[in-house]
Amino acid sequence: MEQTPTLPTARATPKKVFVKTYGCQMNVYDSQRMTDALAADGYVATEAIEDADLVLLNTCHIREKAAEKVYSELGRIRDMKAERESNGGELLIGVTGCVAQAEGSEIIRRAPSVDLVVGPQTYHRLPDVLTRVHRGEKVVETEYAIEDKFEHLPKLSRAAVAKRGVTAFLTVQEGCDKFCTFCVVPYTRGSEVSRPVAQIVAEAERLADAGVREVTLLGQNVNAWHGEGPDGSEWGLGRLLFRLAEIPGLARLRYTTSHPRDMDDDLIAAHRDLGALMPYLHLPVQSGSDRILKAMNRRHTSADYLRLLERIRAARSDIAMSGDFIVGFPGETEADFEDTLKMVREVSYASAFSFKYSPRPGTPGAEMDGHVAEPVKDERLQRLQALLGEQQQAFTNSMIGRTMSTLIEKPGRQPGQKVGRSPWLQPVIVDEKVAEIGDIIEVRITNAGFNSLFADPV
Ligand code: SAH
Ligand code: SF4
Ligand code: F3S
């Protein structure tokens, strides 16, 4: 075939977008979908901020520090933009995610170098927003759009998915109606929306088709998902998991984050009957004190939580628990905190996240009496993390000598190694020659670090 010579000047270099992601897994998913939306507009993703024509900070508002980080990062990028402009170039700056939703135009007031502010429900409008920015507008888009953004986002491309690897996130539910008194999510993500079954299945099939072996379903309240089935009836998460397990190639399923109040019988049955559903459950409890749980509006007691775990463990004995904790919620006494330690000892977590309470403007918690002094929060956090750290180490060590399945994910950091994933989300390091990326193999664990495992094939 004859080649048509193309002059380099005739080919426009594609614009580059650099996306920095803060916060939870849903932001990771959203960053990918924004990149996909911009790809349709001619942008390619770059890992190097210096090369970018557009920088997007996909932000998190969950704790004060998370939001402050965004403003200090904006300061640095402003300097890059000034330098670029002094050389006749251009650099656009956008803020997306939960800070964008919560602060809106305040961001441009505080950081005038920002060109666009787009909330989580309007990502599909990004190409249009950029057109307006190029006309010289500063754009703030933070309404909860009436249209379904998932319907309007471009379909995942096979090439983009394949580049991202053999594990993937898939948002099935977004927003939250629970209004825990410490939490901004109901304000930043809006009220609960469940994607319909057909949409989720189509996306999962695309992922599987591009080589994805393990899918983690995401939602701020993922087990409250109740989507419309193909026959118009309402499905729950347990039923959805069974449906997704039928997709050829998809070998492993997970979901996060769950609320204890939404663990229904079908979902527990899925843990019992569905081999593809991994035996690892992130089920935050926040506190072990009934008084604090009530003040947090969690709407369950510590005994409810423990009973629920009993039922889950009866269904799947090797399930490992993970959780989130907040120390120093307003009114928390030493006795309340000790109830949390007691709960942690009773449950025994494979891993957990723990945080100092951070008052969020606009939430009921921020207005409560009895704010706990910072040094007290520090001290409680240290004690809790010491206990959780011991439990995590004990859990990891308990793996030595065991045989388990491992999904080979990527090359290791050391030459000659590959890294896989255990059913319990631990990195498993194996000799690179034993399997290809995407393979699921049986291994025996020979040694353990704090979180990672070393293994030989069996
Ligand atoms: N939907 C999930 C949690 C989402 S936020 C659930 O209901 O459990 C992730 C975690 O951040 C929470 O579980 C909580 O532990 C922590 N968090 C949320 N708001 C916080 C605040 N104001 N201060 C400190 N930690 C907070
Ligand atoms: Fe926040 Fe509570 Fe909703 Fe979780 S359930 S997102 S902690 S309000
Ligand atoms: Fe943060 Fe928003 Fe996720 S506040 S934790 S990025 S939902």
Side-chain angles (χ1 to χ4, degrees), residues 62-63 182 220 284 286 298 324 326 355-356 358 360:
I62 201 85
R63 285 167 290 274
F182 52 81
Q220 267 89 29
Q286 316 297 352
R298 294 291 290 185
D324 293 343
I326 295 177
F355 313 99
K356 288 190 284 179
S358 167
R360 309 309 295 130

Side-chain angles (χ1 to χ4, degrees), residues 279-300:
Y280 182 91
L281 178 60
H282 185 66
L283 194 64
V285 68
Q286 316 297 352
S287 168
S289 153
D290 288 343
R291 229 172 48 80
I292 296 300
L293 284 171
K294 187 152 198 276
M296 286 175 164
N297 191 33
R298 294 291 290 185
R299 296 184 295 143
H300 66 78

Side-chain angles (χ1 to χ4, degrees), residues 16-164:
K16 294 194 177 124
V17 56
F18 173 86
V19 187
K20 181 161 180 174
T21 309
Y22 302 79
C24 62
Q25 288 121 323
M26 195 172 288
N27 265 8
V28 175
Y29 174 87
D30 286 346
S31 291
Q32 293 176 346
R33 299 313 305 276
M34 284 193 271
T35 309
D36 297 338
L38 290 167
D41 213 33
Y43 276 88
V44 296
T46 174
E47 306 276 307
I49 193 169
E50 314 77 58
D51 295 345
D53 302 285
L54 167 65
V55 173
L56 293 179
L57 301 186
N58 193 15
T59 61
C60 173
H61 204 240
I62 201 85
R63 285 167 290 274
E64 188 181 356
K65 274 200 185 136
E68 282 312 311
K69 267 192 221 152
V70 172
Y71 283 104
S72 58
E73 183 72 20
L74 281 175
R76 274 193 294 276
I77 303 170
R78 176 197 56 208
D79 297 343
M80 278 180 60
K81 179 176 177 137
E83 200 191 308
R84 188 81 64 87
E85 282 171 356
S86 71
N87 296 329
E90 182 189 61
L91 176 62
L92 298 179
I93 307 177
V95 177
T96 61
C98 291
V99 176
Q101 189 63 41
E103 310 234 305
S105 53
E106 175 62 21
I107 296 173
I108 293 180
R109 224 165 333 196
R110 235 179 112 173
S113 57
V114 170
D115 300 285
L116 55 122
V117 175
V118 177
Q121 301 315 329
T122 39
Y123 292 156
H124 55 294
R125 293 196 198 145
L126 266 172
D128 168 55
V129 166
L130 281 169
T131 309
R132 286 160 61 197
V133 168
H134 276 122
R135 272 193 237 121
E137 263 182 74
K138 296 256 179 197
V139 181
V140 179
E141 279 265 10
T142 52
E143 302 113 78
Y144 299 121
I146 327 116
E147 71 267 22
D148 175 357
K149 80 172 160 196
F150 294 108
E151 289 276 20
H152 289 78
L153 281 165
K155 298 259 180 307
L156 303 171
S157 85
R158 207 164 186 273
V161 175
K163 224 168 69 189
R164 288 170 192 157

